[in-house]
Amino acid sequence: MAVVPAALPTLLVLDADPLPRLGRLTGRARVLHTDEASLAARLPAADVLLVWDFTSHAVRAAWPGEGPRPRWVHTASAGVDHLLSPELAASDTVVTNARGIFDEPIAEYVAALVLAMAKDLPRSWELQQRGEWRHRESARVSGTRAVVVGSGPIGRAIARTLKALGMTTAVVGRVPRTGIHGPQDLDRLLARADWVIAAAPLTEQTHGMFDTRRFGVMQPSARFVNVGRGPLVVEEALVRALERRWIAGAALDVLTTEPLAADSPLWHVPGLLISPHMSGDTVGWRDELGTQFVELFERWAAGRPLKNVVDKQRGYVPGH
């Protein structure tokens, strides 16, 4: 009697250019591709959903529809707020993220921002464009204090990198534990910090946490960097803090609305550096994301426990 092969699992990919390299899954999965407009119609046929377009909010909109839903959703990003609808959070579907890909690149980027602000590099570039020779003194970072808000792998990598520059670092997380401060210590630490780095996930508790009161707690010499999620910051409060010189400077790699409109007043706020959500995107990062997903798929297909499983109620991978 002929053996009938088991049906291949269906992998649905929410596309973004360039497409992921999934050649290793040939003959092991039926791979379908979709855009935002077709996602809702294709979801019921999928066993697995790969959210390759991690800037899209289409999953939140499409998930509440009728019919079966994928047993596993993977997003090629560290954050999961763009896809966690209440219906997905309440379902049995497993959600995983790209934890581990962005830790060191983001830590390097934060160090670059810190050094650029301390050494006044943006001003040097402006003066060079005008052909103006203007000697200035710059600040040292060794011996200064940094507070990293977010105790996950990214936050801890940032703290290690800044410590290597001779900075005293404190990490604040959701729950206090050895080497990690709890939320109750945040204001006290902010009041003494020279550098405040936001690297927390976006949750109900962290949304808008950097507001007028928090910027008011900081020293006038302090500088603020956000590489977490845009809505961690009340942007109007940050603008006010910079314009009134409550703090000395800031850098935003993530914003509430992305991409930032060309006519946004944020481009012209004095003392504010803006970059287009690129702190974790180094050469070859998409290939790393694709390889990570294929390895997770192989574990899933073999019935082995998945790594990087998100606690859908908390909004991040627990255990850090």
Side-chain angles (χ1 to χ4, degrees):
M1 179 181 296
V3 176
V4 178
L8 295 177
T10 297
L11 166 62
L12 182 64
V13 182
L14 180 57
D15 287 343
D17 288 328
L19 295 176
R21 297 181 180 180
L22 302 175
R24 279 169 55 183
L25 300 184
T26 300
R28 304 163 71 183
R30 176 172 173 255
V31 181
L32 303 178
H33 294 268
T34 185
D35 57 16
E36 291 184 341
S38 303
L39 177 62
R42 290 176 176 259
L43 269 180
D47 297 298
V48 179
L49 173 64
L50 168 58
V51 185
W52 190 247
D53 184 359
F54 52 81
T55 66
S56 172
H57 288 76
V59 177
R60 290 182 65 94
W63 196 268
E66 297 182 357
R69 288 295 179 263
R71 291 174 282 161
W72 168 36
V73 174
H74 177 78
T75 179
S77 61
V80 297
D81 52 279
H82 59 293
L83 57 86
L84 273 185
S85 66
E87 294 81 4
L88 174 52
S91 73
D92 294 332
T93 296
V94 175
V95 175
T96 57
N97 72 354
R99 180 187 185 193
I101 299 295
F102 302 107
D103 307 353
E104 297 303 330
I106 291 179
E108 292 176 3
Y109 199 89
V110 169
L113 289 173
V114 166
L115 290 170
M117 287 189 278
K119 304 307 177 183
D120 202 21
L121 297 185
R123 181 63 170 162
S124 292
W125 177 252
E126 293 173 4
L127 293 170
Q128 179 180 341
Q129 302 312 296
R130 300 204 299 262
E132 185 175 341
W133 180 279
R134 184 182 299 180
H135 181 269
R136 299 164 340 272
E137 294 179 343
S138 65
R140 293 190 62 180
V141 298
S142 179
T144 61
R145 296 188 179 95
V147 174
V148 181
V149 182
S151 61
I154 292 173
R156 298 199 305 271
I158 291 169
R160 288 194 303 271
T161 301
L162 296 183
K163 188 175 182 180
L165 294 175
M167 301 168 69
T168 300
T169 61
V171 179
V172 178
R174 187 182 67 89
V175 178
R177 54 197 185 276
T178 303
I180 306 293
H181 294 269
Q184 68 276 9
D185 294 331
L186 179 56
D187 287 352
R188 174 179 61 83
L189 293 169
L190 291 181
R192 303 177 60 199
D194 302 294
W195 306 92
V196 178
I197 316 298
L202 181 61
T203 66
E204 290 184 4
Q205 292 71 35
T206 62
H207 192 286
M209 68 182 301
F210 290 99
D211 55 10
T212 297
R213 188 185 69 79
R214 285 265 160 72
F215 289 120
V217 168
M218 298 179 196
Q219 301 182 93
S221 59
R223 292 179 171 90
F224 174 78
V225 175
N226 186 14
V227 290
R229 305 296 284 175
L232 297 177
V233 178
V234 179
E235 290 172 351
E236 297 81 1
L238 175 60
V239 170
R240 190 180 309 115
L242 289 168
E243 290 178 341
R244 298 181 180 181
R245 298 184 180 179
W246 293 354
I247 61 175
L252 299 178
D253 183 58
V254 288
L255 295 111
T256 299
T257 301
E258 298 179 4
L260 187 63
D263 60 354
S264 170
L266 286 175
W267 292 113
H268 309 292
V269 176
L272 177 60
L273 289 172
I274 291 176
S275 55
H277 203 149
M278 58 182 283
S279 60
D281 302 348
T282 53
V283 175
W285 67 288
R286 289 185 177 87
D287 289 340
E288 291 183 46
L289 288 171
T291 298
Q292 180 188 56
F293 172 74
V294 169
E295 291 174 351
L296 285 172
F297 187 93
E298 290 171 343
R299 293 179 67 92
W300 177 83
R304 299 165 59 199
L306 284 168
K307 298 179 179 180
N308 293 7
V309 175
V310 173
D311 183 321
K312 294 183 291 182
Q313 303 307 314
R314 297 181 183 179
Y316 55 86
V317 178
H320 54 64

